Each structure stands twice: as C-alpha cells, then as structure tokens.
Amino acid sequence: MTARLADIAAQAGVSEATVSRVLNGKPGVASATRESVLTALDLLGYERPARLQKRSAGLVGLITPELENPIFPAFAQVICQALTRQGYTPVLATQTPGGSTEDELTGMLVERGVAGIIFISGLHADTSADMARYERLRGHGVPFVLINGFSPKVRAPFVSPDDRAAMRLAVTHLASLGHRRIGLALGPARFVPVRRKIEGYLQAMREELDVPAEEAGRDVEHSLFTLEGGQAAAGALLDRGCTAVICASDMMALGAIRAARQRGHAVPEGCSVIGFDDSPLIAFTDPPLTTIRQPVPAMGQAAVRALLEEIGGTPAPPSEFVFLPELVVRGSTAAAPQGASGGRRGP
C-alpha cells in the first residue's frame, strides 16, 4: 500500500513536510515527533520503510577498517564476546580496498535495523573527513560508539588509549638505555592518534633528553600503518643516525626490524625498536618485540557498556574515555650501541 503524506500528516498532527523528512531519514526532527509519524504509519496500515522498521534488539554492528593488522581482530574478539554475554548478536563488517566503504557498511547495517554500531579506527579518527556523516547516523536514531580517534564535532562516546602517555613511556625507556637519537615512525599526519603520539614524543624528548621540539621533529617520519610502511620510515630514520625507533604499530615495528637488518644492524645490539599495540603473537617474533600495550580488553568492554547505555536510553554525556597503556619490555630494546655519539646532527 502506497503511503499518502496527507493521511499520515493528519493522523500524526504534523505537516506533510515533517512526514517527508521522517520517511526519508532526514535529521532535524524531534524524537517525539518522529515516533508520532511512525505510529501514524502503523495505525493506518502502511509498511514502514526498511530503514525505519523497529530495530532488532539483538543485532549490533561492528565496523573495522581491516583485519590484516592483528589488533583489529583482537578488538573484535573482545567486543563480540562482551556483546554475546549481554544477549546481542554482533555483525562484523570490514572495509576492503576497492570494496565496501565505511559509509556503505553503515548504510547496510542501518537497513538491517541494528540496535547500535561500534566503529574502530574509522573516519572519526581522520581530521580531513566530514563528521556530518555521524550526525546523519544519529538522525536515523542509531546509537553508536567510536574507538581510537576523537572529534569534538561528533556527539557520541569515544574510547581511546592515552597516545601521549604511550610515547612518554617509550622515550623514557630508551633514554634510560642511553639512546639520544630516537626516531618516531608513524602513519599519515591527518589521523588524531598520530598527532597525539607526536605531541607526547616531542614533550618526552624535551623533558627526558632536553631536545627542543624543532630538533626532535626532524626525526618524525610519516608512512603507512603496514610492515612496508614501517620499513620505509625506519630506513629513513636509521640513515639519519637514529639508534632507536618507536613505531605507531607492531606491524610497522616488524618493518623497522627488517630495515635495520638490511643495513647490517642487529636488533637490539645495533638498533632498538619499540612497537605499539601488543598484538597477538607479537611476543614470539625474532627478537620478541618490546611494545606499548593497548588495554584492548578494558577498552572493548567499555565501548560495549557505553553502547548498551545508549541503546537503553540512559546515555552518558558525549565524552572520551581514555585508558592508560603499558610498556611491555622484551628483546628488541637494549643499551645504545657502543661508540654511538650522544649528539645529534641535521637531517
């Protein structure tokens, strides 16, 4: 049966324009008004559009950027287990190069009537992305929580590790081993976690080694969050004379170890490497990787709790829950090489 705007508007006591906005999922309509329109649809015997059908209490979407980096399956496992314990069924949606985008996956989940969505390292972490997409999602009445990456433009709970504290832990550890020329290998500069790591690194280099920010900034190298990206970034840093490299992911750190060995540097005797994440199996690399552990279980469980509060109608004020990371010392860091000059030189 085709819905007539005039009939629905009369039943709901609103304008036809308001009915049109509700039926097309447009934002800017009060929740009470939206419910009145949907109730009018039901009373008149019209079928609700798929996107407006009553949400399944059992489905929760989880969107990840990829699964090749083991930190994302680790988050997915924790979150899916926590949702299952609460009686929900997780729906894992993964972006693919040249395939489904975050927006397409979000639309698919909304069409299927999920009760809520958790985003891991999504576009919310990209300072160049349009944050209006999340306001549109809120306009559909879908609660959501975002992990890793914060934007003040998005009204939702965020869950993040303390990236600045992580870099202080790494720099302090390497400085205690006698390293002075410490490089930082990261992903693209537009991402919020990358910017925060740089801030923490520069502050720690100044406080621990009395290295001015301008000078330390020359040893910050941007690349991709991949093994190859870490290899390229670390190679450039080693060629500048760095004796230690801090990486923004464990995958990048494995690339840094490869770059060091290609240059004849044993790890850790000739070059120390620190990763970030403490991904599964990373303790069994050669050498076992010193890394900054993201508190994945605590972060994942906090994201689920925040989402269920949103679904239950008792949301916390939009805020960021920040979790302290932990330095896990293994075999990829050691004292600075004998004969390494304590000084620094230009790029």
Side-chain angles (χ1 to χ4, degrees):
M1 178 186 268
T2 303
R4 291 185 56 205
L5 293 185
D7 294 342
I8 301 168
Q11 178 69 37
V14 298
S15 68
E16 292 185 29
T18 298
V19 172
S20 177
R21 292 187 68 82
V22 172
L23 295 182
N24 288 292
K26 302 292 185 183
V29 180
S31 57
T33 303
R34 186 181 302 275
E35 283 304 313
S36 295
V37 173
L38 296 178
T39 300
L41 273 176
D42 298 338
L43 291 173
L44 293 171
Y46 294 127
E47 183 178 352
R48 296 188 184 192
R51 71 170 71 88
L52 299 176
Q53 290 175 7
K54 292 182 178 178
R55 309 211 168 272
S56 167
L59 299 180
V60 170
L62 174 61
I63 299 181
T64 66
E66 54 158 310
L67 290 177
E68 291 184 3
N69 187 328
I71 193 62
F72 296 122
F75 266 114
Q77 182 175 20
V78 169
I79 291 169
C80 290
Q81 287 177 343
L83 287 168
T84 301
R85 284 196 297 268
Q86 296 297 323
Y88 287 84
T89 301
V91 180
L92 180 60
T94 304
Q95 299 174 57
T96 54
S100 299
T101 65
E102 178 180 314
D103 289 339
E104 289 168 344
L105 293 174
T106 300
M108 177 269 292
L109 291 171
V110 171
E111 289 289 337
R112 281 157 178 75
V114 293
I117 301 176
I118 296 176
F119 295 87
I120 304 176
S121 300
L123 290 169
H124 62 276
D126 187 340
T127 58
S128 67
D130 181 7
M131 297 300 154
R133 55 175 40 87
Y134 298 108
E135 194 61 30
R136 291 193 292 271
L137 178 59
R138 183 169 295 282
H140 287 302
V142 181
F144 58 93
V145 174
L146 307 118
I147 297 177
N148 276 346
F150 174 76
S151 172
K153 299 176 182 177
V154 180
R155 297 179 299 149
F158 288 83
V159 177
S160 307
D162 191 332
D163 290 296
R164 299 181 184 92
M167 294 301 100
R168 290 196 295 272
L169 288 171
V171 170
T172 300
H173 173 61
L174 292 170
S176 73
L177 294 172
H179 294 275
R180 178 170 173 81
R181 192 77 189 263
I182 300 169
L184 179 61
L186 304 134
R190 67 181 186 273
F191 292 109
V192 171
V194 169
R195 296 185 175 189
R196 289 177 167 181
K197 285 182 175 70
I198 293 173
E199 291 170 5
Y201 163 80
L202 295 178
Q203 181 180 357
M205 291 294 288
R206 182 175 64 252
E207 293 176 353
E208 294 293 327
L209 295 170
D210 199 27
V211 178
E214 181 179 355
E215 187 176 346
R218 299 183 195 133
D219 287 334
V220 174
E221 192 73 22
H222 294 280
S223 186
L224 300 176
F225 286 111
T226 61
L227 188 149
E228 293 78 12
Q231 181 178 347
L237 294 168
L238 293 171
D239 290 345
R240 291 180 205 156
C242 292
T243 62
V245 179
I246 304 168
C247 298
S249 76
D250 290 338
M251 294 295 287
M252 294 188 78
L254 296 180
I257 292 174
R258 179 189 288 181
R261 288 174 174 163
Q262 285 180 338
R263 286 159 176 76
H265 301 305
V267 177
E269 295 81 7
C271 168
S272 289
V273 175
I274 295 181
F276 186 92
D277 284 334
D278 197 26
S279 312
L281 302 181
I282 210 68
F284 304 101
T285 57
D286 179 25
L289 186 66
T290 295
T291 189
I292 302 293
R293 175 181 293 160
Q294 278 201 73
V296 171
M299 291 173 62
Q301 291 161 13
V304 170
R305 284 197 301 271
L307 183 66
L308 295 186
E309 288 176 358
E310 295 266 324
I311 293 172
T314 57
S319 57
E320 183 180 22
F321 302 94
V322 180
F323 289 76
L324 285 175
E326 175 187 357
L327 175 69
V328 182
V329 179
R330 298 194 181 104
S332 65
T333 51
Q338 291 292 326
S341 66
R344 300 173 64 85
R345 55 186 172 81

